[in-house]
Amino acid sequence: MRLAQQLYEGVEVKGYGTVALISYLRTDSTRISEEADASVRAYIVENYGKEMEAEQIKEASRGKKIQDAHEAIRPTDVTITPAQVKESLPRDLFRLYQLIWKRFVASRMQPAKYETVSAKLDAGQ
């Protein structure tokens, strides 16, 4: 939590100055703002191609009793990639940011497709 707090409060990143790299961290929400969703989808299309973008995700109705003041933990700017901040961050901060960034981008991409090969061998006696 201490590392995440540093990423939230802001760290010195070469070329950007002091910047908060992640959104509010004390949340268990899965909701993403429309602006953040559009931003990550544009990033995916530009860098990986339209075929890698997931279909729009329909948000489930949560009822009126649940507080949902904050959105999910995510990068504040998806265009600031882990590779761009690697030299500016200590190892543990970098690894946490990389995890948050990758999971956020992956959440808006098509599921992974795996190609498998099966072989059945009969060796006799």
Side-chain angles (χ1 to χ4, degrees):
M1 289 302 288
R2 212 172 324 193
L3 294 174
Q5 185 69 30
Q6 289 177 26
L7 291 175
Y8 171 68
E9 290 176 352
V11 291
E12 184 70 29
V13 177
K14 191 176 185 179
Y16 292 93
T18 300
V19 61
L21 291 175
I22 64 170
S23 63
Y24 189 70
L25 62 142
R26 290 182 180 91
T27 180
D28 59 358
S29 177
T30 58
R31 182 181 55 80
I32 298 292
S33 71
E34 289 179 18
E35 179 182 298
D37 186 61
S39 173
V40 72
R41 288 177 182 282
Y43 180 86
I44 291 166
V45 169
E46 183 179 319
N47 291 280
Y48 301 103
K50 181 73 175 156
E51 65 281 355
M52 294 305 296
E53 178 188 12
E55 294 182 23
Q56 291 291 338
I57 298 171
K58 227 179 192 183
E59 291 291 329
S61 176
R62 299 211 185 266
K64 298 193 185 235
K65 293 182 181 179
I66 297 176
Q67 290 184 345
D68 194 22
H70 300 284
E71 59 181 300
I73 301 168
R74 62 169 181 82
T76 54
D77 182 351
V78 73
T79 63
I80 301 176
T81 65
Q84 291 173 310
V85 301
K86 186 172 186 172
E87 291 182 20
S88 301
L89 300 179
R91 182 176 182 262
D92 289 341
L93 272 180
F94 167 73
R95 291 177 71 196
L96 179 58
Y97 180 68
Q98 182 180 43
L99 173 69
I100 293 168
W101 189 92
K102 283 183 174 183
R103 294 308 307 148
F104 177 62
V105 173
S107 76
R108 297 303 191 248
M109 293 181 83
Q110 289 289 336
K113 294 180 183 175
Y114 298 97
E115 185 175 320
T116 60
V117 177
S118 297
K120 186 174 182 178
L121 303 174
D122 185 9
Q125 300 292 338

